[in-house]
Structure formats: C-alpha cells, structure tokens
Amino acid sequence: MSGASVLCQSNLLSLPNNPPQNSELNAKFNDQGWLSLLKRCKSMEEFKQVHAQILKLGLFWDSFCGSNLVATCALSRWGSMEYACSIFRQIEEPGSFEYNTMIRANVNNMNLEKALLLYAEMLERGIEHDNFTYPFVLKACSLLGALKEGVQIHGQVFKAGLEDDTYVQNGLISMYGKCGEINHACDVFEQMDERSVASWSSIIGAHASVELWQDCLMLLGDMSSEGRHRAEESILVSTLSACTHLGSPDIGRCIHGILLRNISELNVVVKTSLIDMYVKCGHLEKGLWVFQNMAVKNKLSYTVMISGLAFHGRGREALRVFSEMVEEGLAPDDVVYVGVLSACSHAGLVKEGLQCFNSMQLVHKIKPTIQHYGCMVDLMGRAGMLKEAYDLIKGMQIKPNDVVWGSLLSACKVHLNLEIGEIAAENIFKLNQHNPGDYLVLASMYARAQKWTDVARIRTKMAEKHLVQTPGFSLVEANRKVHKFVSQDKSQPECDTIYDMIHQMEWQLKFEGYGPDTSQVLLDVDEEEKRERLKYHSQKLAIAFALIQTSEGSPIRISRNLRMCSDCHTYTKFISMIYEREISVRDRNRFHHFKDGTCSCKDYW
DNA sequence: TGGCAGATCC
C-alpha cells in the first residue's frame, strides 16, 4: 500500500505541508513534554488530541516523535492498527525502529502475512534489519507454519551477523519447532553459548509442537540438573501439556508442587494448563477445584473446563459452566461451542445439543465450522438418529470432510446400519482420504453381518493402498514412569509375569460371568483364535501390569491412542469389581471411569 | 525508544 493511498482513505489528521520553524511554544512542548503526554493516553480520543497538538507544533517532523506516535498507537491496548499504519506511512524515512514496531504490532494482532510483507519491504528498501527485527518476524513464520520463509529468514540472520543473539536464537528454535523441523531446532539450541530460561522454554515448546512429550519431560530434567535456571511458569506450561498428553498425573502433580514452591500467585495461563492437565489425566475434581478458586478466568479457562467436563461425560455441568461464562459477559466463540456441543454429544443430551447449535448461529452469530458439524453428526449418530445426521450432512453449507463422514460411519457401526454406513464410507474414499480406521470400521460392519466376501474385499483394498492399521497402544503410569503397551506385545521385560497375570485374571473373569465378545475381531478365523487375539489387547496388558506393579486398592489410569473396543470395555468393568480398583481409561474422545463393575459412561459412547 | 518462550477444538 502506498503512502498516498493511506492518506486519502484515513480520517487521519492532515500533515502540514512544511515543517514550521521552531517556535518558543514548540520548545516548551518539546523534549519530554509530548512524550509524557503520549504515555498518559488511555484512549484513542486522547491520543488523537495529542497527535493534533504535535502536528500543530510541527513536531511530527522530528523523527523520534513520529516513531513514538506509531509505537504508542500500534502497541497500546486501546490503539488502532489502521490509524497507526496511516501515521507510519506519513513518516518520510522510516527506519528499523518504525518497521520493527509495525511488524511487532501486526504479529500481535495476528496479521501475520502483513508482518512478513513489511519485513520484505524493509529488505527491499535496504533498511537495516537488526536483532530486534527477527524475534517477531520469526514468530510470524511460527504461527503461519511457514518453513520456507523461516529458512530464508535464518539465512538473513547469518548475513546480518545476528546468529549469536539469544533472542533471535530462541525465535529460531520456536520457528523450527512449530514448523515440525525439530532437528534444526535442536541444532540451534546446541550451538548456543548462552542459554536463557526462555531458550529452555523454546526448546521444550519445540518438542511439544512435534508431540515428543517424553522429551519435554526429559529436557525439564536436563535443565534442572544443570542447575542454572529455575523452572518457571512458561516452561511448566509446556511440560504440564506433556503430562496431559502422556496421561501422567503424578508427574503433573510434581510440577504443580514446583509451581507452588517457586511462584506465589500463578497466572491465568498456568492455572488453565493445570486444569487441563488434571482433567485430562482423570482428576476431574482437582481440575474443578483449581477452576473454582481462580480469581480471574478468561475465555480459555472456561473452554478448558467445559471441554474437560465434556470429556468426562458430565454434560449438564458443562452446560452450567457455559451459562456462567455467558453471565460473566464473556462472548462465546466457536471453540467454546465445540466443547459445549461435544458435552451434549457425550452425555446424550440431544435436545440441548440441538438448542445450542441453533442459538450459536442465531444469538451469537457464529457460523458453524466443520468441527461443530462433526459434533452434531456425532450427537445425532450416537442417539441413533442416523437418517437425521445424514440429512444434516447433506444440508451443510461447507463441504463435509472425512471426519464428519467418519462420525456417521462409526454411528452406523454402533447402530448396525450397513446401508447408510456404506454411503458414509464411499464419501470418505471419494475425498481421497484413506484412513485405515475407516476401512476397518466398514470391514467390521461386514464382519458382523457375516459378509466375509465384503470383508475380504475391503482388506484387499487396504493392502493395495498399503494401509496399515495404526498399532493400538496403552500408556499406564506406575512408579512415576510411563509404560507403553502395544497389542499382542511380547517385547516387555516383564512379559512373562504379565502373561501369567492375564491367565490368572481370565480364570476369575470367567467365574464372574465374563465372556469375550469375539465380534470385535475382524478376521475370519475360528473362535479360539479370535479369543486369543482379544486377550492381549494393549489395554488388557496395561491393566495386568498395573495390577502387579501398584499397591492394592490404588487407582489405575490408562490412556490410549485408539478408541476402546467394546470387549475391553466389558472386561475392564469386571476387573474393577473383582480387584476392587478404580480404573480410568482415556481414549481419543473421552474418559471412562470404571468402578464396582460399572462405567461412568453408562455404556453410552 | 523496542525483542524471545506458554493453555482450548469431533
């Protein structure tokens, strides 16, 4: 955008044609006078008045003054980007400070492309880019996931001889992390002479970006044993997130302890991460406690709590928290509504879900995203309203994706509707989405209908496309370590003990009336073989291991990557009763709490 | 005159 066009379109105060001579008045207002006035501004109105005065006195021609006008207007909470931009374009020869300010403000406002354009303009004009330029330009690349641009900028950093600046290096680490290039992030980190807490935070965050959760925790350990930095809030946020994903509440609780020891008053971000960690690791009540004792809550705190309650199938409470949020005057956004709708879906609140879906659009003027449709299809599908769900998809204003069709497909599996199921699967494959899970759901529907030729057809298709099922695994925490089990796994060092335990358990299970549900096994093999396969599902291995390794009566917490099969569900119910253990299992979608032979989902899932 | 790191979504 050229300077002239900005001048025409804006309601900006006009610039005098010539710089006036320095007058007495000018001198009075000069020096720190205007600066302190600028600093005291609390609204655009006040700012405009000061701006007018500055123009009247001709001080704008002092480049230092113009720069400060831009910075104040761009970076203040009450400021206006448009207005700041117009002032910026009036400056005859903007230097790196002005460009840096504008880039920074644009990144803060998520105008990321604009920020990169300004940077390009800077280069084009030959304006010196200094070490203050890069952290924000790199952040723009991070947020855009723009690796190509990031690498180019890394080149510029070398050209400018800024590769040793800690701030720039931290920015590079984050950029590479967010763009999925963890090795490059590690290279930068390892080559650093001087590391700040933020450097550790960046490298841990980079590992979090690529979901290397165990490494996040290991790096926290490395930092602590190095002994030069104390873990502080931002680092602990990433590591809490690692605990959340690993399902390790014990490690999470240690981090909570470190936080309480090091910091007197935790900020909103940390508390929100704490809630998320507790809730997703099965300690819903602890999460609720942190939430209820927060003095300041923001939209995200509410979102985390609402989706947390949804995760645990506590739909009504989620709706209650949602109304609290609205009452507090926080405007709901699309993400909160994803939480609200999924809460309705997990708890089977069909009527409420439909109401929320309507008021989202009519009252809050939020256009449904693909996620909202996903929740609605899920909600209707679970409730057996397959025809209605299919109609909703047909009437969608945006193109349905594989996830939406996938929800319908799994609902069809639950309610055994092969006809609509086939349509859903067809649409998924038409989208050129070949997720092995979808093929398997379809195959299992054919298997249940005893249509073995169709099962074979789907299997062949999978083989042709080289699709392999993502191996199912379960994680369980014992003795402050996370242990991983894969289905049919015999590689564990404790393998023999675990298999012995499984045989022992089998015995008692049979006695209590459990019978394996072999319809879950897709292979056309005999019953005996099917039973053998079921026995060693990763969740069962993890339970057996936990029964051996943890003390009697203590709860067992498992998290797994795939959805639980219904046989594991029944099995776990029995185990919770026989061994008198509370067992919670987290899968991709939700929590199941098993106690005394029943599950918190009331078998609705 | 100014910089880096952190939390939510089927």
Side-chain angles (χ1 to χ4, degrees):
Chain A
M1 192 175 352
S2 78
S5 70
V6 174
L7 287 179
C8 301
Q9 57 149 19
S10 120
N11 60 351
L12 188 68
L13 301 156
S14 61
L15 202 59
N17 289 329
N18 294 304
Q21 300 303 313
N22 260 359
S23 65
E24 225 177 292
L25 188 64
N26 193 333
K28 254 190 220 165
F29 193 57
N30 212 337
D31 290 337
Q32 297 306 305
W34 53 266
L35 193 60
S36 65
L37 274 178
L38 262 184
K39 277 187 182 158
R40 263 182 275 154
C41 285
K42 291 221 168 53
S43 66
M44 261 324 273
E45 270 50 58
E46 283 174 31
F47 176 81
K48 280 185 185 170
Q49 278 172 20
V50 179
H51 184 198
Q53 218 160 341
I54 284 173
L55 286 177
K56 215 160 98 191
L57 296 171
L59 288 169
F60 188 77
W61 299 99
D62 173 347
S63 72
F64 187 55
C65 182
S67 317
N68 271 284
L69 272 171
V70 173
T72 310
C73 186
L75 299 171
S76 303
R77 211 176 281 168
W78 43 260
S80 142
M81 267 314 283
E82 273 183 332
Y83 200 86
C85 183
S86 333
I87 305 173
F88 170 69
R89 290 304 180 191
Q90 283 191 337
I91 295 176
E92 270 194 335
E93 283 180 15
S96 70
F97 176 76
E98 291 77 19
Y99 269 99
N100 291 347
T101 306
M102 289 306 292
I103 291 174
R104 178 181 169 194
N106 273 296
V107 173
N108 286 350
N109 286 295
M110 293 298 283
N111 301 322
L112 307 171
E113 268 116 7
K114 182 82 191 292
L116 291 183
L117 280 175
L118 279 163
Y119 171 68
E121 189 182 301
M122 216 176 154
L123 292 185
E124 213 172 276
R125 288 193 176 185
I127 294 164
E128 188 199 356
H129 31 110
D130 52 27
N131 49 341
F132 290 96
T133 314
Y134 287 98
F136 281 107
V137 181
L138 287 169
K139 190 172 177 179
C141 294
S142 300
L143 293 169
L144 283 166
L147 178 64
K148 211 178 97 206
E149 286 77 1
V151 172
Q152 276 172 8
I153 290 167
H154 196 171
Q156 299 289 346
V157 166
F158 275 113
K159 248 194 218 161
L162 297 168
E163 68 274 17
D164 291 328
D165 185 283
T166 316
Y167 287 90
V168 176
Q169 288 166 321
N170 294 345
L172 282 167
I173 294 172
S174 300
M175 182 275 292
Y176 280 124
K178 287 266 161 57
C179 294
E181 292 291 328
I182 191 65
N183 291 336
H184 288 318
C186 292
D187 288 346
V188 177
F189 183 75
E190 273 151 27
Q191 281 158 21
M192 287 176 85
D193 293 326
E194 202 51 52
R195 291 177 190 136
S196 64
V197 186
S199 315
W200 284 98
S201 182
S202 305
I203 193 69
I204 293 176
H207 283 85
S209 307
V210 290
E211 305 195 351
L212 291 170
W213 309 114
Q214 301 263 22
D215 296 87
C216 292
L217 298 179
M218 264 155 55
L219 282 161
L220 174 67
D222 290 350
M223 189 192 81
S224 311
S225 47
E226 202 191 70
R228 295 180 53 197
H229 303 286
R230 253 167 61 162
E232 42 90 279
E233 284 161 308
S234 69
I235 291 187
L236 296 178
V237 169
S238 303
T239 37
L240 276 174
S241 170
C243 297
T244 308
H245 289 273
L246 287 169
S248 336
D250 287 356
I251 302 169
R253 213 167 335 161
C254 290
I255 294 175
H256 192 179
I258 301 176
L259 280 166
L260 293 177
R261 276 197 301 280
N262 287 1
I263 299 145
S264 56
E265 180 58 36
L266 303 181
N267 66 30
V268 191
V269 181
V270 186
K271 284 195 177 167
T272 305
S273 323
L274 267 174
I275 298 173
D276 197 41
M277 183 277 291
Y278 277 128
V279 169
K280 295 234 180 87
C281 289
H283 294 276
L284 178 65
E285 303 308 324
K286 281 210 177 78
L288 271 169
W289 189 88
V290 176
F291 179 74
Q292 278 150 2
N293 286 288
M294 275 172 91
V296 186
K297 296 178 187 126
N298 63 17
K299 207 186 283 181
L300 215 64
S301 330
Y302 277 101
T303 307
V304 167
M305 196 66 249
I306 291 168
S307 20
L309 286 162
F311 218 75
H312 286 263
R314 309 253 287 246
R316 299 241 172 247
E317 281 159 88
L319 290 176
R320 211 173 307 136
V321 173
F322 178 61
S323 6
E324 269 171 40
M325 173 183 158
V326 177
E327 273 162 33
E328 222 187 87
L330 292 169
D333 61 9
D334 56 330
V335 186
V336 182
Y337 264 109
V338 173
V340 171
L341 296 178
S342 73
C344 294
S345 140
H346 288 309
L349 304 172
V350 179
K351 201 180 80 210
E352 291 81 352
L354 287 166
Q355 265 169 11
C356 286
F357 189 59
N358 282 330
S359 58
M360 173 181 96
Q361 298 171 69
L362 300 175
V363 182
H364 296 291
K365 310 283 176 216
I366 298 170
K367 270 198 188 148
T369 64
I370 202 85
Q371 277 109 331
H372 298 122
Y373 282 114
C375 291
M376 291 312 288
V377 171
D378 204 45
L379 172 84
M380 294 172 167
R382 280 173 206 270
M385 299 157 65
L386 299 173
K387 177 81 180 35
E388 289 85 343
Y390 181 36
D391 288 342
L392 178 75
I393 296 181
K394 283 193 282 191
M396 272 169 66
Q397 287 159 23
I398 38 180
K399 197 175 170 225
N401 65 359
D402 57 317
V403 183
V404 172
W405 286 115
S407 292
L408 184 63
L409 178 62
S410 23
C412 290
K413 181 190 165 193
V414 175
H415 296 281
L416 296 176
N417 187 323
L418 198 51
E419 193 191 328
I420 298 183
E422 280 178 326
I423 298 175
E426 228 168 77
N427 277 290
I428 296 172
F429 304 148
K430 243 192 249 162
L431 289 168
N432 231 352
Q433 287 291 336
H434 301 286
N435 166 21
D438 295 324
Y439 281 90
L440 288 171
V441 170
L442 186 62
S444 85
M445 287 170 71
Y446 286 131
R448 293 201 79 158
Q450 306 279 320
K451 295 190 165 181
W452 298 110
T453 15
D454 287 311
V455 175
R457 182 169 54 84
I458 301 296
R459 285 256 174 214
T460 320
K461 245 193 197 173
M462 281 182 78
E464 278 167 12
K465 296 198 186 298
H466 306 290
L467 295 174
V468 188
Q469 184 186 12
T470 329
F473 66 79
S474 296
L475 302 173
V476 66
E477 203 184 63
N479 311 321
R480 296 242 165 112
K481 249 186 93 183
V482 180
H483 305 262
K484 185 174 177 178
F485 294 89
V486 183
S487 272
Q488 326 291 323
D489 189 3
K490 284 188 179 153
S491 65
Q492 288 280 338
E494 303 89 347
C495 174
D496 289 342
T497 2
I498 296 172
Y499 278 64
D500 280 349
M501 184 68 190
I502 293 220
H503 294 306
Q504 222 186 89
M505 289 153 75
E506 201 182 352
W507 223 86
Q508 299 182 59
L509 281 160
K510 221 181 251 173
F511 184 76
E512 294 292 339
Y514 159 83
D517 175 7
T518 47
S519 68
Q520 298 289 317
V521 181
L522 299 183
L523 301 172
D524 187 18
V525 287
D526 62 36
E527 280 298 301
E528 188 48 40
E529 167 90 34
K530 283 183 183 176
R531 257 181 256 137
E532 280 300 302
R533 295 228 154 217
L534 271 183
K535 236 192 264 177
Y536 308 117
H537 276 181
S538 67
Q539 182 172 323
K540 291 168 184 149
L541 297 176
I543 291 177
F545 175 77
L547 284 174
I548 304 167
Q549 291 285 325
T550 58
S551 54
E552 244 173 69
S554 62
I556 297 173
R557 296 173 203 285
I558 291 171
S559 63
R560 42 179 302 157
N561 61 335
L562 302 176
R563 272 181 73 170
M564 204 184 313
C565 75
S566 67
D567 182 66
C568 283
H569 196 258
T570 316
Y571 182 96
T572 312
K573 282 200 279 189
F574 275 99
I575 295 288
S576 73
M577 178 180 65
I578 299 168
Y579 290 87
E580 296 179 7
R581 294 274 198 132
E582 279 182 39
I583 304 172
S584 65
V585 181
R586 179 181 88 174
D587 66 17
R588 231 172 0 164
N589 289 322
R590 65 170 296 155
F591 252 104
H592 297 265
H593 294 281
F594 299 92
K595 197 186 168 187
D596 302 329
T598 59
C599 178
S600 62
C601 75
K602 302 183 188 85
D603 300 335
Y604 185 88
W605 51 290

